[in-house]
Amino acid sequence: MIQTNEVNLHSNWQKELANVVTCPQTLLNMLGLEAYFDTKDLEARRLFPVRVPKPFIKKMRYGDANDPLLLQVLPVHQEFLAKAGFNKDPLQEQQSAQPGVLHKYRSRILLMLKTGCAVNCRYCFRRHFPYQENQLNKRSLLDVVEYIKQHPQINEVILSGGDPLMAKDDAIDWLLNQLEPLKQLKRLRIHSRLPVVLPSRITETLCERLAVSRLKVILVNHINHANEIDETFSHAMQMLKRANVTLLNQAVLLKGINDTPDAQIALSEALFETDILPYYLHLLDKVEGASHFEVDETQARSIMAQMLETLPGFLVPKLVREIGGKTSKTPIDLQLD
């Protein structure tokens, strides 16, 4: 087990958040790749802003233009390509009945608690989402509490975004104080990429609050490659584990980044070393600007078959696709053609 004094998690996460890299040329300069990409690649930042925390950049391999972490965040000219079947709202989320709220699953409601992210991943299925129209404040969150009361079948709240851990600890405490009295609720699920790109976000204050919640708390990390997992992140996960938080992971299958059996096996093994269970492996959501990341189903099934041969069942995530308008994820049949 990692000792607390071996890892510095006491830096101010908000200061680190304020110092993210937003210029692709700066990012390339930091990695010794000044001359590698041309202006056509860098122009793609106009389609979706660049945003990368420095702790995540430190995990990238210096001088490696094919680093799997770099490729997730660096704009490229392929984002300008238009491909049939790819659109701005692949999951049909942009016409929700209530701003900032999605209720497509019968027993679960999703809140876009914060509309910003610490990192902008180029394959993000919400890269075109109208976040400015879906911002939640305390008044609108109280309206959500009333909505939950009126729908007694809801027993779980999912915090999403953006990234819900962009909210400060006191804001999360306030929200929990509103939700915990609702006896119908059993679970609080937090979907976040922040812990792996900015581990200092997992504070003692946050962990202490989650530990005393009557709700079962689940953190679903979003980690796509084993190289994202380091000692500092592992320590943050141990803090959450001591707070009785269930730790899961979901990943996206991305061409040129993690689309091999070896990469997926290494990810599952690295996750479990950190006490995280693989949960979902998603096929790419067909969002406009991300078609160059797509891995076809045949290759995905082949990867999964080799994972099943190599790993114990509990380390094999479910291969799924999200289809707009459907009320659940769609499992991918693993039978090879």
Side-chain angles (χ1 to χ4, degrees):
M1 181 178 292
I2 299 169
Q3 299 299 314
T4 303
N5 60 7
E6 291 178 0
V7 183
N8 180 17
L9 279 184
H10 300 292
S11 58
N12 187 320
W13 69 273
Q14 291 171 271
K15 288 183 179 178
E16 290 187 321
L17 195 60
N19 290 319
V20 298
V21 172
T22 58
C23 172
Q25 193 64 59
T26 300
L27 175 59
L28 294 173
N29 293 347
M30 292 172 69
L31 296 169
L33 295 168
E34 297 90 335
Y36 193 83
F37 292 90
D38 62 30
T39 54
K40 288 189 294 184
D41 289 314
L42 304 184
E43 285 173 2
R45 68 185 294 193
R46 294 190 287 107
L47 301 175
F48 188 44
V50 172
R51 186 175 177 84
V52 195
K54 291 180 180 177
F56 193 64
I57 298 171
K58 289 178 181 178
K59 301 177 188 181
M60 299 176 187
R61 295 189 291 252
Y62 186 86
D64 183 358
N66 294 310
D67 178 83
L69 280 59
L70 173 64
L71 295 179
Q72 295 180 55
V73 298
L74 189 70
V76 293
H77 69 274
Q78 288 91 339
E79 295 179 39
F80 288 100
L81 298 175
K83 185 174 179 180
F86 284 74
N87 60 70
K88 288 184 168 63
D89 186 16
L91 303 190
Q92 299 178 20
E93 294 182 331
Q94 296 183 18
Q95 300 297 323
S96 59
Q98 191 165 341
V101 176
L102 295 176
H103 188 190
K104 60 182 179 179
Y105 305 127
R106 183 180 185 277
S107 64
R108 304 178 295 289
I109 190 172
L110 184 147
L111 302 186
M112 294 184 182
L113 184 62
K114 283 291 180 179
T115 55
C117 288
V119 62
N120 282 351
C121 302
R122 307 309 296 180
Y123 53 86
C124 179
F125 68 94
R126 289 187 181 138
R127 59 184 282 168
H128 304 289
F129 193 82
Y131 283 117
Q132 68 279 3
E133 301 169 15
N134 286 275
Q135 297 183 26
L136 295 172
N137 54 30
K138 285 187 176 181
R139 176 176 293 181
S140 53
L141 284 169
L142 290 175
D143 290 339
V144 173
V145 171
E146 289 304 313
Y147 180 89
I148 294 171
K149 290 178 181 177
Q150 294 166 14
H151 294 79
Q153 73 272 25
I154 297 173
N155 61 23
E156 179 175 351
V157 172
I158 301 170
L159 303 185
S160 183
D163 196 307
L165 289 184
M166 294 283 279
K168 297 177 183 178
D169 290 345
D170 58 352
I172 293 174
D173 173 55
W174 180 88
L175 179 59
L176 283 169
N177 288 338
Q178 312 312 309
L179 296 176
E180 286 166 343
L182 304 181
K183 294 182 179 180
Q184 70 196 76
L185 294 181
K186 297 179 180 179
R187 293 177 296 275
L188 178 76
R189 199 187 327 166
I190 303 169
H191 283 235
S192 181
R193 187 131 166 83
L194 239 162
V196 78
V197 301
L198 201 69
S200 59
R201 175 61 192 94
I202 305 304
T203 64
E204 292 287 356
T205 302
L206 175 65
C207 292
E208 288 168 2
R209 180 60 183 91
L210 297 178
V212 298
S213 178
R214 75 157 189 85
L215 300 173
K216 293 284 188 180
V217 181
I218 305 102
L219 173 69
V220 182
N221 287 283
H222 177 182
I223 303 168
N224 295 316
H225 197 278
N227 290 5
E228 299 178 39
I229 297 172
D230 64 4
E231 186 181 32
T232 307
F233 170 74
S234 297
H235 176 70
M237 292 301 100
Q238 292 304 311
M239 292 171 63
L240 288 167
K241 184 181 178 184
R242 289 193 293 271
N244 297 317
V245 175
T246 298
L247 303 174
L248 304 175
N249 185 65
Q250 60 180 358
V252 181
L253 192 57
L254 300 166
K255 185 176 181 180
I257 293 173
N258 61 7
D259 58 338
T260 67
D262 286 347
Q264 289 297 327
I265 290 166
L267 174 58
S268 285
E269 293 283 11
L271 288 168
F272 195 62
E273 285 294 313
T274 317
D275 291 313
I276 301 170
L277 280 175
Y279 177 37
Y280 282 130
L281 177 60
H282 289 263
L283 292 179
L284 182 74
D285 293 320
K286 295 189 175 186
V287 64
E288 183 180 296
S291 61
H292 55 291
F293 288 114
E294 187 177 28
V295 177
D296 66 48
E297 286 192 17
T298 299
Q299 183 181 352
R301 289 196 296 267
S302 177
I303 291 169
M304 291 296 295
Q306 293 180 67
M307 292 177 71
L308 286 164
E309 289 180 2
T310 305
L311 293 168
F314 60 85
L315 290 187
V316 180
K318 299 174 184 176
L319 181 65
V320 297
R321 181 190 289 284
E322 290 256 27
I323 298 175
K326 289 207 170 184
T327 56
S328 66
K329 292 177 173 59
T330 300
I332 302 301
D333 184 359
L334 297 186
Q335 284 296 118
L336 296 175
D337 295 334

